[in-house]
Amino acid sequence: MKTSDRLVRYRPAERINHWIVALCFVLASLSGLGFFFPSFNWLMLIFGTPQLARILHPFVGVVMFAAFMLMFLRYWRHNLVNRDDLYWARNIHRIALNEEVGDTGKYNFGQKCVFWAAIICLVLLLVSGIVIWRPYFAGAFTIPLIRLALVVHSVSATALILMIMVHVYAALWIKGTLTAMVEGWVSSDWARQHHPRWYREQRNQPLKQEKRP
Protein backbone atom coordinates (compact mmCIF):
# COMPACT_ATOMS: atom_id res chain seq x y z
CA MET A 1 0.00 0.00 0.00
CA LYS A 2 1.30 3.42 -0.92
CA THR A 3 2.07 5.80 1.94
CA SER A 4 -0.27 8.33 0.35
CA ASP A 5 -3.12 5.86 0.82
CA ARG A 6 -2.55 5.79 4.59
CA LEU A 7 -3.71 8.07 7.36
CA VAL A 8 -2.04 8.32 10.76
CA ARG A 9 -4.59 7.21 13.33
CA TYR A 10 -2.44 6.97 16.46
CA ARG A 11 1.09 8.21 17.07
CA PRO A 12 3.70 6.11 18.94
CA ALA A 13 3.10 7.82 22.31
CA GLU A 14 -0.64 7.18 22.01
CA ARG A 15 -0.11 3.52 21.15
CA ILE A 16 2.32 2.99 24.02
CA ASN A 17 -0.19 4.64 26.37
CA HIS A 18 -2.95 2.35 25.12
CA TRP A 19 -0.91 -0.84 25.55
CA ILE A 20 0.14 0.16 29.07
CA VAL A 21 -3.54 0.46 29.95
CA ALA A 22 -4.24 -2.87 28.24
CA LEU A 23 -1.43 -4.68 30.08
CA CYS A 24 -2.48 -3.26 33.45
CA PHE A 25 -6.09 -4.21 32.73
CA VAL A 26 -5.12 -7.84 32.03
CA LEU A 27 -3.01 -8.08 35.19
CA ALA A 28 -5.58 -6.38 37.41
CA SER A 29 -8.63 -8.19 36.03
CA LEU A 30 -7.10 -11.68 36.15
CA SER A 31 -5.74 -11.25 39.66
CA GLY A 32 -9.04 -9.67 40.73
CA LEU A 33 -11.00 -12.65 39.42
CA GLY A 34 -8.63 -14.82 41.45
CA PHE A 35 -9.58 -12.90 44.60
CA PHE A 36 -13.31 -13.01 43.88
CA PHE A 37 -13.82 -16.65 42.83
CA PRO A 38 -12.15 -19.44 44.87
CA SER A 39 -12.08 -21.68 41.79
CA PHE A 40 -10.03 -18.99 40.02
CA ASN A 41 -7.42 -18.63 42.77
CA TRP A 42 -4.80 -19.92 40.35
CA LEU A 43 -5.13 -16.69 38.35
CA MET A 44 -3.32 -14.89 41.15
CA LEU A 45 -0.19 -16.72 40.03
CA ILE A 46 0.03 -14.17 37.21
CA PHE A 47 2.11 -12.16 39.71
CA GLY A 48 4.07 -15.22 40.86
CA THR A 49 2.35 -15.92 44.17
CA PRO A 50 -1.03 -15.07 45.77
CA GLN A 51 0.78 -12.93 48.33
CA LEU A 52 2.45 -10.85 45.62
CA ALA A 53 -0.87 -10.59 43.80
CA ARG A 54 -2.51 -9.03 46.85
CA ILE A 55 0.34 -6.54 47.19
CA LEU A 56 0.70 -5.61 43.52
CA HIS A 57 -2.96 -5.67 42.38
CA PRO A 58 -3.83 -2.20 43.78
CA PHE A 59 -0.61 -0.63 42.52
CA VAL A 60 -1.29 -1.96 39.02
CA GLY A 61 -4.80 -0.52 39.28
CA VAL A 62 -3.43 2.92 40.13
CA VAL A 63 -1.04 2.78 37.15
CA MET A 64 -3.94 1.78 34.88
CA PHE A 65 -6.05 4.68 36.15
CA ALA A 66 -3.21 7.18 35.65
CA ALA A 67 -2.48 5.91 32.13
CA PHE A 68 -6.15 6.04 31.20
CA MET A 69 -6.39 9.60 32.47
CA LEU A 70 -3.70 10.53 29.94
CA MET A 71 -5.92 8.99 27.27
CA PHE A 72 -8.88 10.91 28.68
CA LEU A 73 -7.02 14.22 28.37
CA ARG A 74 -6.10 13.36 24.78
CA TYR A 75 -9.46 12.15 23.56
CA TRP A 76 -12.31 13.62 25.58
CA ARG A 77 -13.07 16.28 22.97
CA HIS A 78 -13.40 13.61 20.28
CA ASN A 79 -15.84 11.71 22.49
CA LEU A 80 -18.39 14.45 23.07
CA VAL A 81 -21.81 13.32 21.87
CA ASN A 82 -23.31 15.27 18.96
CA ARG A 83 -26.24 15.11 16.58
CA ASP A 84 -24.55 12.60 14.28
CA ASP A 85 -24.16 10.21 17.22
CA LEU A 86 -27.90 10.29 17.91
CA TYR A 87 -28.54 9.43 14.26
CA TRP A 88 -26.04 6.56 14.59
CA ALA A 89 -27.80 5.29 17.73
CA ARG A 90 -31.23 5.37 16.07
CA ASN A 91 -29.85 3.17 13.30
CA ILE A 92 -28.11 0.64 15.52
CA HIS A 93 -29.96 -2.17 13.72
CA ARG A 94 -28.12 -1.24 10.53
CA ILE A 95 -24.82 -1.15 12.39
CA ALA A 96 -25.50 -4.72 13.57
CA LEU A 97 -25.75 -5.74 9.91
CA ASN A 98 -22.27 -4.26 9.30
CA GLU A 99 -23.64 -1.17 7.53
CA GLU A 100 -22.10 2.21 8.27
CA VAL A 101 -24.47 5.13 8.88
CA GLY A 102 -24.09 8.81 9.64
CA ASP A 103 -21.23 11.23 9.19
CA THR A 104 -18.98 9.76 11.87
CA GLY A 105 -15.99 11.68 13.22
CA LYS A 106 -12.93 10.12 14.86
CA TYR A 107 -15.13 7.92 17.07
CA ASN A 108 -18.63 6.58 16.60
CA PHE A 109 -21.35 6.59 19.24
CA GLY A 110 -20.56 3.06 20.39
CA GLN A 111 -16.91 3.93 20.95
CA LYS A 112 -17.92 7.06 22.82
CA CYS A 113 -20.20 5.06 25.12
CA VAL A 114 -17.34 2.67 25.94
CA PHE A 115 -15.02 5.63 26.59
CA TRP A 116 -17.31 7.38 29.07
CA ALA A 117 -18.43 4.16 30.73
CA ALA A 118 -14.79 3.16 31.22
CA ILE A 119 -14.06 6.51 32.87
CA ILE A 120 -16.97 6.05 35.28
CA CYS A 121 -15.93 2.48 36.12
CA LEU A 122 -12.30 3.44 36.66
CA VAL A 123 -13.20 6.32 38.98
CA LEU A 124 -15.43 3.98 41.00
CA LEU A 125 -12.68 1.36 41.07
CA LEU A 126 -10.12 3.89 42.27
CA VAL A 127 -12.29 5.35 45.03
CA SER A 128 -13.58 1.99 46.26
CA GLY A 129 -10.11 0.47 45.92
CA ILE A 130 -8.63 3.08 48.23
CA VAL A 131 -11.30 2.32 50.84
CA ILE A 132 -10.50 -1.42 50.84
CA TRP A 133 -6.72 -1.08 50.35
CA ARG A 134 -4.99 -2.83 53.23
CA PRO A 135 -2.81 -2.06 55.08
CA TYR A 136 -2.61 1.54 53.90
CA PHE A 137 -6.10 3.07 53.91
CA ALA A 138 -8.75 0.56 55.00
CA GLY A 139 -8.08 1.22 58.68
CA ALA A 140 -9.39 4.76 58.28
CA PHE A 141 -12.89 3.61 57.26
CA THR A 142 -15.75 1.87 59.02
CA ILE A 143 -16.61 -1.77 58.37
CA PRO A 144 -19.99 -0.95 56.70
CA LEU A 145 -18.25 1.48 54.35
CA ILE A 146 -15.61 -1.11 53.49
CA ARG A 147 -18.34 -3.66 52.73
CA LEU A 148 -20.10 -1.16 50.46
CA ALA A 149 -16.78 -0.38 48.74
CA LEU A 150 -16.23 -4.09 48.12
CA VAL A 151 -19.60 -4.32 46.37
CA VAL A 152 -18.92 -1.19 44.30
CA HIS A 153 -15.46 -2.46 43.39
CA SER A 154 -16.76 -5.86 42.31
CA VAL A 155 -19.66 -4.48 40.24
CA SER A 156 -17.48 -1.83 38.58
CA ALA A 157 -14.79 -4.38 37.77
CA THR A 158 -17.34 -6.75 36.23
CA ALA A 159 -18.84 -3.96 34.12
CA LEU A 160 -15.39 -2.86 32.94
CA ILE A 161 -14.38 -6.41 32.00
CA LEU A 162 -17.57 -6.85 29.96
CA MET A 163 -17.03 -3.50 28.22
CA ILE A 164 -13.44 -4.34 27.33
CA MET A 165 -14.59 -7.68 25.92
CA VAL A 166 -16.98 -5.79 23.64
CA HIS A 167 -14.19 -3.34 22.78
CA VAL A 168 -11.81 -6.16 21.80
CA TYR A 169 -14.52 -7.96 19.81
CA ALA A 170 -15.32 -4.80 17.86
CA ALA A 171 -11.61 -4.22 17.14
CA LEU A 172 -11.32 -7.73 15.71
CA TRP A 173 -14.65 -7.58 13.90
CA ILE A 174 -13.90 -4.40 11.94
CA LYS A 175 -10.98 -5.31 9.71
CA GLY A 176 -8.21 -2.71 9.86
CA THR A 177 -9.06 -1.43 13.34
CA LEU A 178 -6.39 -3.45 15.12
CA THR A 179 -3.75 -2.23 12.66
CA ALA A 180 -4.43 1.31 13.82
CA MET A 181 -3.41 0.54 17.40
CA VAL A 182 -0.52 -1.79 16.46
CA GLU A 183 1.09 0.10 13.58
CA GLY A 184 -0.58 3.49 13.95
CA TRP A 185 -2.10 3.87 10.49
CA VAL A 186 -5.31 3.06 8.62
CA SER A 187 -6.05 2.96 4.93
CA SER A 188 -7.87 5.85 3.30
CA ASP A 189 -10.64 3.46 2.27
CA TRP A 190 -11.08 2.30 5.87
CA ALA A 191 -11.26 5.88 7.15
CA ARG A 192 -13.65 6.95 4.39
CA GLN A 193 -15.98 4.03 5.12
CA HIS A 194 -16.00 3.98 8.92
CA HIS A 195 -15.16 7.58 9.90
CA PRO A 196 -16.00 9.78 6.90
CA ARG A 197 -15.99 13.12 8.72
CA TRP A 198 -12.62 12.35 10.33
CA TYR A 199 -11.32 11.30 6.91
CA ARG A 200 -12.30 14.64 5.38
CA GLU A 201 -10.79 16.51 8.30
CA GLN A 202 -7.49 14.71 7.77
CA ARG A 203 -7.61 15.42 4.04
CA ASN A 204 -8.61 19.04 4.73
CA GLN A 205 -11.80 18.62 2.76
CA PRO A 206 -14.95 20.63 3.57
CA LEU A 207 -17.47 18.95 5.83
CA LYS A 208 -20.70 17.91 4.20
CA GLN A 209 -24.14 17.87 5.75
CA GLU A 210 -25.84 14.53 5.31
CA LYS A 211 -29.51 14.62 4.52
CA ARG A 212 -31.57 12.69 7.00
CA PRO A 213 -35.16 11.59 6.79
Side-chain angles (χ1 to χ4, degrees):
M1 180 184 296
K2 297 179 180 179
T3 304
S4 59
D5 292 331
R6 298 179 178 182
L7 290 174
V8 174
R9 181 76 169 167
Y10 297 109
R11 302 192 180 280
E14 296 176 280
R15 302 201 302 276
I16 292 171
N17 191 174
H18 172 273
W19 291 115
I20 289 174
V21 172
L23 175 61
C24 290
F25 169 78
V26 170
L27 294 174
S29 60
L30 291 181
S31 58
L33 288 171
F35 301 148
F36 197 76
F37 297 104
S39 57
F40 287 166
N41 282 165
W42 56 273
L43 289 175
M44 289 188 284
L45 298 178
I46 194 171
F47 285 116
T49 67
Q51 292 78 12
L52 272 176
R54 292 189 179 279
I55 293 170
L56 296 178
H57 174 88
F59 288 101
V60 171
V62 170
V63 172
M64 179 173 65
F65 179 84
F68 197 90
M69 286 307 299
L70 292 177
M71 295 174 63
F72 174 79
L73 294 175
R74 281 194 179 102
Y75 305 132
W76 71 270
R77 290 182 182 85
H78 299 291
N79 283 279
L80 296 176
V81 177
N82 55 41
R83 183 182 176 188
D84 289 306
D85 295 318
L86 301 180
Y87 179 72
W88 190 96
R90 288 198 300 270
N91 289 273
I92 190 67
H93 58 286
R94 294 166 60 186
I95 303 296
L97 297 175
N98 203 25
E99 179 183 351
E100 293 294 334
V101 300
D103 197 27
T104 305
K106 186 164 186 175
Y107 299 111
N108 61 41
F109 183 65
Q111 292 169 312
K112 291 178 180 181
C113 287
V114 169
F115 177 84
W116 291 109
I119 284 290
I120 293 172
C121 286
L122 284 169
V123 170
L124 291 175
L125 284 168
L126 179 69
V127 173
S128 60
I130 289 174
V131 174
I132 63 178
W133 192 347
R134 295 184 182 277
Y136 302 108
F137 305 109
F141 301 99
T142 64
I143 295 299
L145 185 58
I146 291 174
R147 288 173 177 168
L148 176 61
L150 282 167
V151 173
V152 172
H153 202 77
S154 301
V155 172
S156 301
T158 302
L160 183 61
I161 289 172
L162 292 175
M163 279 187 293
I164 296 303
M165 289 173 64
V166 172
H167 174 66
V168 171
Y169 174 77
L172 296 175
W173 181 40
I174 304 297
K175 185 179 179 180
T177 301
L178 194 58
T179 302
M181 194 47 74
V182 174
E183 300 182 32
W185 60 269
V186 294
S187 68
S188 295
D189 289 339
W190 182 94
R192 191 185 302 111
Q193 177 183 358
H194 299 293
H195 301 271
R197 179 155 53 85
W198 178 74
Y199 167 78
R200 294 195 305 276
E201 290 170 351
Q202 298 304 300
R203 294 299 192 192
N204 295 318
Q205 296 180 5
L207 302 181
K208 70 175 182 179
Q209 295 296 325
E210 179 181 344
K211 294 181 179 179
R212 297 184 174 81

